[in-house]
Amino acid sequence: MGQHKQPGFLRTLFQGTLDSSLLLPFPWPDEEVRETTETVAEMVRDWAHEAIDPAEIDARKRIPESVLDGMAELGLFGLTLPEEYGGSGCGQWTYAHVMEALANRCASTVTVLGGHLGLGTKGLVLYGTEEQKARWFPELASGERIAAFALTEAGAGSDAGALRTTADPDGNGNWRIDGRKLWITNGGFARWFLVFARTPHPDRPDAPLMERPITAFWVPREASGLTTGEPENKMGLCGSSTTEVGLEGVVVGDDHRVGELGEGFKVALNVLNSGRHGLAACCIGQAKLARDLSLAHAVQREQFGRPIAEFGMMRELIAGMDADIYAMEAGCWLTAGLVDRGETETMLEAAACKMFSTERLWDICNSALQLTGGTGFMREYPFERILRDARINLIFEGTNQVLRMMLSVQGTRALVRGEASEGPESPRFEGAAAGLEREAEVLGELAGAFAAEARASVERHGKEIREAQHDLRRLSDLAVGLFQTAAVLSRASTCRGELSEQERDLASLACRRIEAGLRATLAECKETPDELVDRASESRIRASRPS
Ligand SMILES: Cc1cc2nc3c(=O)[nH]c(=O)nc-3n(C[C@H](O)[C@H](O)[C@H](O)COP(=O)(O)OP(=O)(O)OC[C@H]3O[C@@H](n4cnc5c(N)ncnc54)[C@H](O)[C@@H]3O)c2cc1C
């Protein structure tokens, strides 16, 4: 995903270009992929409904063997792995829809698949040799062995490049790995781990640890010296297995190295860059669950002699959830289509989907709880579980702050280097459907204002923009909102058949909700509270430091 391709929509947006041709027509897949996807997603939905009890999984804090077996029987563990090695060879479109379908039933269960396909095996898909793929994919595709991704350590969370696990040659042509990995999804039952460790510096054998490059290794569970800890006691995703992974003198051959020596950090980043799109799809599944269950309550529950769903303020919550889900789908599906076409870079778009969908899901959970009142607060109902499960999405696979930094730093790179050409003075989004002209016009206006802010910010900070976090946050908030608006317009303007009134309303409302945030952020750019924030936080931080 995202290498040596044409710059994507978001990168060009930072330079003031609103290139609707990159998003229009909406990249719907061909009929065959659409039909396959609908069939598989439907099958998964039906099976999950029968086979998975999310409340029990949450309470017992484990996923029953029967569920993992069922997933294997459905072929889910090989969904995106190449057909020649036992997988189904499905693309991102199908993957996203299947993840959504499974997430619509149980967030813990879908996390197993995300850890396996989105992270663990992804390293081999992207960087494995043909020999490695032929050797390991069949058992991964069948679900006989589940994979995990082991990057995080106690001192290396967001700053994953600070990891201290080492891999040294053992003198017999093998690698000896030592270290401790933290909070590894699928840790309790995974049988393969993609482990990241520091290998010796190629030119300086005595280089300090933190100057040694990082390399990725494919490590089997049965390797002597590999241990996993007790399951973590978590706030949410309670059924998903999250454990420590200890590596003490674990020996693997050089044929277990994934990618080039010293290229491990690139492997990790590219796995995460592609994996987080799947997480956005999971958020859609959970958001629909929260919406549907809370609505079922709101149309039945009567207060003041009327169903609560009919009150204006409750209607705001209901329509807001629906419009946000429409936008989440638009961004996520659009990016899936672009990934499958493979023509343009999609790294920034995938990050935008992750930020938008995780934050909107959190809002939707909040709305669902408000709609259901005290009932939603009771543990016998699913709303509090959905809310607990949703919270981690803003933290793992790159926290939303780290992604904001990444998006804005990447987006302004050409401006910082003086390589960006001047964009049009008044960008326009061409090709919007009838009835959405206002939304398209607003998008053009706000994209122009955003480009001006991006340039002004680069002029103020130059290369130091990397450190200008208040600016980075505002720029990425704007970029994400503009991308999501463009995705909504693209989707609504290229729908199958005529755009229905209902869909036009939804698209329009989705755009307006995003517009409100964009205008607030642009207003903040004009009169920032940054100095106040810095002073207020500084005194509080100073007072909180251990003496
Ligand atoms: C349930 C669960 C499953 C996980 N699964 C896996 C897995 O399978 N494999 C794996 O390798 N890891 C996994 N992780 C680890 C996860 O990726 C990390 O928790 C995540 O990267 C954040 O690191 P941290 O928790 O150490 O937070 P920290 O890095 O300590 O961050 C704390 C806060 O500081 C902010 N922050 C940090 N740096 C900056 C900065 N430069 N600028 C602005 N703000 C900043 C963050 O945004 C965050 O809000 C999992 C974690 C959990 C909880």
Side-chain angles (χ1 to χ4, degrees):
M1 204 195 246
Q3 284 180 318
H4 314 301
K5 293 176 182 159
Q6 220 187 305
F9 178 83
L10 271 165
R11 207 176 277 282
T12 57
L13 189 69
F14 272 87
Q15 298 168 31
T17 305
L18 186 58
D19 190 351
S20 43
S21 75
L22 289 171
L23 308 185
L24 275 171
F26 195 83
W28 299 109
D30 60 36
E31 267 317 301
E32 197 187 325
V33 172
R34 258 173 109 132
E35 272 172 26
T36 311
T37 302
E38 275 164 30
T39 310
V40 179
E42 195 58 42
M43 194 171 70
V44 169
R45 210 170 282 120
D46 291 347
W47 168 79
H49 205 79
E50 285 293 311
I52 301 177
D53 181 343
E56 175 142 327
I57 285 177
D58 181 60
R60 292 185 181 264
K61 299 184 192 291
R62 61 182 299 274
I63 295 169
E65 283 293 319
S66 61
V67 170
L68 297 177
D69 290 347
M71 288 165 71
E73 270 166 39
L74 286 172
L76 297 187
F77 291 111
L79 191 71
T80 51
L81 300 184
E83 276 178 285
E84 64 264 42
Y85 303 127
S88 305
C90 290
Q92 197 69 16
W93 183 272
T94 308
Y95 177 62
H97 283 78
V98 169
M99 293 298 274
E100 179 198 319
L102 196 53
N104 190 239
R105 183 69 179 157
C106 178
S108 285
T109 304
V110 78
T111 302
V112 178
L113 202 54
H116 173 79
L117 284 181
L119 296 174
T121 59
K122 197 74 185 188
L124 280 186
V125 170
L126 295 177
Y127 293 95
T129 61
E130 282 312 308
E131 196 200 332
Q132 289 174 328
K133 291 177 184 178
R135 197 164 148 203
W136 293 316
F137 275 159
E139 61 188 21
L140 290 160
S142 68
E144 188 188 330
R145 283 174 162 251
I146 291 174
F149 177 83
L151 176 67
T152 302
E153 298 177 6
S158 296
D159 185 9
L163 65 86
R164 303 183 77 90
T165 295
T166 54
D168 287 294
D170 74 346
N172 297 316
N174 300 317
W175 294 95
R176 185 198 145 100
I177 307 177
D178 291 278
R180 290 204 85 72
K181 299 291 180 179
L182 196 64
W183 301 334
I184 304 309
T185 297
N186 295 345
F189 49 78
R191 293 179 66 193
W192 282 113
F193 295 86
L194 184 62
V195 172
F196 297 86
R198 290 193 184 276
T199 41
H201 196 285
D203 311 317
R204 290 185 286 129
D206 52 353
L209 176 65
M210 300 315 273
E211 289 175 24
R212 290 169 53 166
I214 295 168
T215 302
F217 295 93
W218 192 238
V219 182
R221 179 174 206 94
E222 58 273 21
S224 168
L226 189 146
T227 52
T228 54
E230 287 298 305
E232 297 289 348
N233 189 8
K234 307 190 294 288
M235 163 187 174
L237 293 190
C238 293
S240 149
S241 162
T242 312
T243 72
E244 243 188 40
V245 176
L247 301 135
E248 241 179 274
V250 169
V251 175
V252 292
D254 192 52
D255 54 342
H256 285 241
R257 173 166 50 78
V258 180
E260 297 298 320
L261 254 185
E263 299 271 288
F265 200 54
K266 191 169 97 182
V267 175
L269 291 186
N270 281 327
V271 167
L272 288 166
N273 284 340
S274 70
R276 59 179 67 103
H277 177 261
L279 187 60
C282 293
C283 291
I284 298 171
Q286 284 278 294
K288 288 181 179 172
L289 181 64
R291 175 197 61 188
D292 295 347
L293 293 174
S294 60
L295 254 170
H297 173 88
V299 293
Q300 283 188 357
R301 165 83 172 158
E302 292 196 1
Q303 287 293 279
F304 303 98
R306 282 155 68 186
I308 54 168
E310 289 179 11
F311 295 114
M313 286 188 234
M314 295 295 104
R315 283 176 185 271
E316 286 173 9
L317 297 180
I318 294 164
M321 289 197 279
D322 239 10
D324 286 357
I325 289 171
Y326 186 86
M328 288 158 76
E329 286 177 339
C332 184
W333 296 354
L334 176 88
T335 305
L338 295 175
V339 169
D340 287 343
R341 284 197 186 164
E343 291 160 9
T344 54
E345 176 201 34
T346 48
M347 174 180 82
L348 303 184
E349 287 70 17
C353 290
K354 194 268 190 182
M355 287 184 263
F356 185 81
S357 293
T358 56
E359 289 168 17
R360 291 298 162 117
L361 169 60
W362 182 243
D363 293 345
I364 287 168
C365 291
N366 197 31
S367 296
L369 264 146
Q370 203 59 31
L371 262 172
T372 49
T375 303
F377 199 67
M378 299 301 149
R379 286 212 131 155
E380 63 186 289
Y381 295 96
F383 304 101
E384 62 85 33
R385 185 191 75 241
I386 300 171
L387 180 116
R388 281 188 286 112
D389 287 344
R391 189 59 185 83
I392 188 59
N393 296 320
L394 290 82
I395 295 171
F396 63 11
E397 302 207 23
T399 71
N400 286 13
Q401 283 79 21
V402 168
L403 294 183
R404 280 178 164 83
M405 281 187 338
M406 188 272 278
L407 172 56
S408 293
V409 168
Q410 286 280 334
T412 52
R413 204 151 74 176
L415 291 168
V416 169
R417 291 179 177 167
E419 291 167 356
S421 51
E422 195 76 34
E425 220 154 81
S426 330
R428 291 179 61 81
F429 187 87
E430 307 286 354
L436 293 171
E437 295 87 354
R438 179 199 172 273
E439 286 71 15
E441 204 170 299
V442 167
L443 176 59
E445 174 209 329
L446 299 183
F450 163 68
E453 289 303 335
R455 278 180 193 276
S457 186
V458 169
E459 271 163 30
R460 268 196 307 277
H461 302 288
K463 270 201 297 221
E464 299 310 312
I465 194 165
R466 296 179 150 273
E467 298 296 327
Q469 289 217 347
H470 305 312
D471 280 30
L472 296 180
R473 195 260 305 154
R474 282 188 288 267
L475 290 179
S476 63
D477 282 354
L478 292 169
V480 170
L482 292 167
F483 166 70
Q484 286 291 153
T485 306
V488 166
L489 289 178
S490 170
R491 175 183 175 185
S493 305
T494 335
C495 60
R496 273 163 143 188
E498 197 138 301
L499 178 64
S500 69
E501 197 182 325
Q502 191 194 1
E503 184 168 352
R504 198 189 55 222
D505 285 350
L506 216 48
S508 184
L509 186 59
C511 290
R512 283 174 197 229
R513 286 169 66 78
I514 299 170
E515 180 190 338
L518 290 171
R519 290 202 187 279
T521 307
L522 282 167
E524 193 190 312
C525 292
K526 296 286 170 242
E527 201 172 342
T528 75
D530 299 352
E531 285 183 17
L532 284 174
V533 167
D534 287 342
R535 280 205 302 275
S537 58
E538 183 56 31
S539 54
R540 177 54 61 200
I541 291 167
R542 225 180 300 127
S544 308
R545 277 196 190 116
S547 47

